[in-house]
């Protein structure tokens, strides 16, 4: 049932490539909105983890929506999880109206994936990246369908955070841009638009704050706990900056910092030894059981 247009009505099947923190959340919100979803990752065990986390998070959403009805909770979870098909083979995901990429934050790996998708997907498929910081235009430099390509930047945890940044690539068509905005709305997000600038809106502003918090901890100005308590109770943030870094993933934070330094030249984004050490020790934050804190 594919059409040659990119209107919202045509977006019925979505493929999410990368089933980690972000990809599993994006697959979940798309399935909750009634879409058919293909979720692709490199290894079966990664997909099993993604399915477990989606199942848990669907339960949380369902309990909120259908408080008093165990039958409705069960039906909601079953319906949404049945919409998600998982595979380690990218080709199982190419028959889609929209593909959202949420793999590792590395330019060359993303470029390789988009070049493959561009060759394998039908002509009408919109391709989008969930990158945190890398230039959308650089990611899509090798693809032919430049008018059907842009950024869809979600926030962690995807089922809870209400924002979606829609990033306009240089050659995006008005039709694709409108389809992306409408699709974001249809999966429950408030969309804002940003040009293809380093870190877009949220990470351009959060990045310096986060980096300064890690340096403050590294210098020993205050304990990690006290830095986090300070920003929660003194500035009203839901999480402190160090908790949030662990929540985001320290490998992802490190990759974002490097891109931001390269693209802006601003020394606020210079390397942080603490971050380098933790990542080299495999301490990636919550997802690995240890980061700045232990879980
Ligand atoms: N899926 C579904 N529901 C979830 C969930 C998930 N993964 N995580 C939390 N929830 C729900 C809970 O069920 C709970 O629902 P009720 O209010 O109905 O009870 C609600 O969200 C609040 O959760 P908790 O009570 O467990 O915990 P909390 O109040 O501390 O909230 C939080 C958790 C929403 C994560 C909050 O701490 C928060 O907003 N933290 C900041 C997150 C943030 O800043 N994210 C953006 C990071 S930057 C980014 O993502 C961009 C990038 O490129 C790096
Ligand atoms: P993650 O490490 O949790 O998950 C990435 C997943 O992609 C892993 O499961 C990995 O196996 C898979 N993967 C890697 N290469 C692949 C390939 N070629 N094909 C298929 N799967 C592949 O990372 P994440 O936090 O979900 O981040 C994913 C993307 O989203 C990154 O670009 C990141 O910058 C961005 N992002 C992250 C956050 C955050 O808070 N963590 C927020 C917004 C955007």
């Amino acid at each position: 049932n594919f059409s040659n247009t990119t209107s919202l009505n045509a977006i019925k099947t979505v493929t999410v490539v990368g089933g980690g923190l972000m990809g599993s959340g994006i697959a979940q919100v798309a399935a909750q909105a009634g879409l058919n979803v293909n979720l692709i990752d490199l290894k079966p065990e990664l997909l099993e983890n993604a399915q477990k986390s989606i199942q848990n998070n669907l339960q949380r959403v369902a309990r909120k929506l259908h408080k008093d009805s165990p039958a409705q909770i069960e039906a909601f979870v079953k319906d949404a999880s049945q919409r998600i098909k998982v595979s380690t083979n990218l080709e199982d995901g190419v028959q889609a109206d929209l593909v959202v990429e949420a793999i590792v934050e590395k330019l060359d790996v993303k470029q390789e994936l988009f070049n493959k998708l561009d060759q394998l997907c039908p002509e009408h498929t919109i391709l989008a990246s969930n990158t945190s910081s890398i230039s959308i235009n650089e990611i899509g430099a090798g693809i032919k369908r430049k008018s059907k390509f842009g950024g869809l930047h979600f926030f962690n945890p995807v089922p809870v955070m209400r924002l979606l940044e829609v990033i306009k690539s240089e050659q995006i068509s008005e039709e694709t841009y409108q389809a992306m905005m409408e699709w974001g709305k249809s999966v429950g997000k408030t969309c804002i638009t940003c040009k293809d600038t380093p870190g877009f809106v949220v990470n351009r502003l959060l990045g310096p704050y986060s980096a300064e918090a890690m340096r403050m901890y590294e210098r020993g100005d205050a304990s990690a706990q006290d830095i986090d308590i300070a920003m929660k109770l003194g500035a009203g943030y839901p999480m402190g900056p160090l908790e949030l870094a662990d929540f985001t993933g320290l490998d992802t934070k490190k990759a974002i910092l490097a891109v931001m330094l390269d693209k802006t030249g601003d020394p606020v984004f210079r390397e942080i030894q603490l971050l380098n050490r933790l990542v080299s020790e495999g301490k990636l934050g919550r997802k690995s059981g240890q980061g700045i804190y232990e879980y």
Side-chain angles (χ1 to χ4, degrees), residues 57 60 64 132 153 155-157 159-161 203 238-239 244 248:
N57 292 331
R60 293 164 95 159
K64 208 178 301 178
S132 298
H153 185 216
F155 294 83
N156 182 30
V160 181
M161 304 309 281
N203 284 333
M239 274 182 181
L244 183 57
T248 299

Side-chain angles (χ1 to χ4, degrees), residues 92-164:
D92 288 336
V94 298
Q95 294 301 324
D97 306 304
L98 169 68
V99 179
V100 183
E101 166 275 315
I103 67 168
V104 61
E105 187 74 343
K106 284 191 183 148
L107 176 62
D108 55 343
V109 188
K110 287 191 192 286
Q111 282 176 332
E112 194 188 326
L113 174 66
F114 276 97
N115 293 347
K116 265 193 214 154
L117 287 169
D118 191 34
Q119 282 175 9
L120 296 170
C121 291
E123 201 186 320
H124 77 281
T125 307
I126 295 177
L127 304 181
S129 173
N130 179 55
T131 180
S132 298
S133 59
I134 302 175
S135 157
I136 290 293
N137 292 320
E138 284 182 36
I139 291 174
I143 66 169
K144 295 204 180 70
R145 65 181 81 201
K146 290 200 165 61
S147 67
K148 290 184 179 138
F149 169 71
L152 286 173
H153 185 216
F154 287 86
F155 294 83
N156 182 30
V158 180
V160 181
M161 304 309 281
R162 290 160 52 205
L163 183 69
L164 178 64

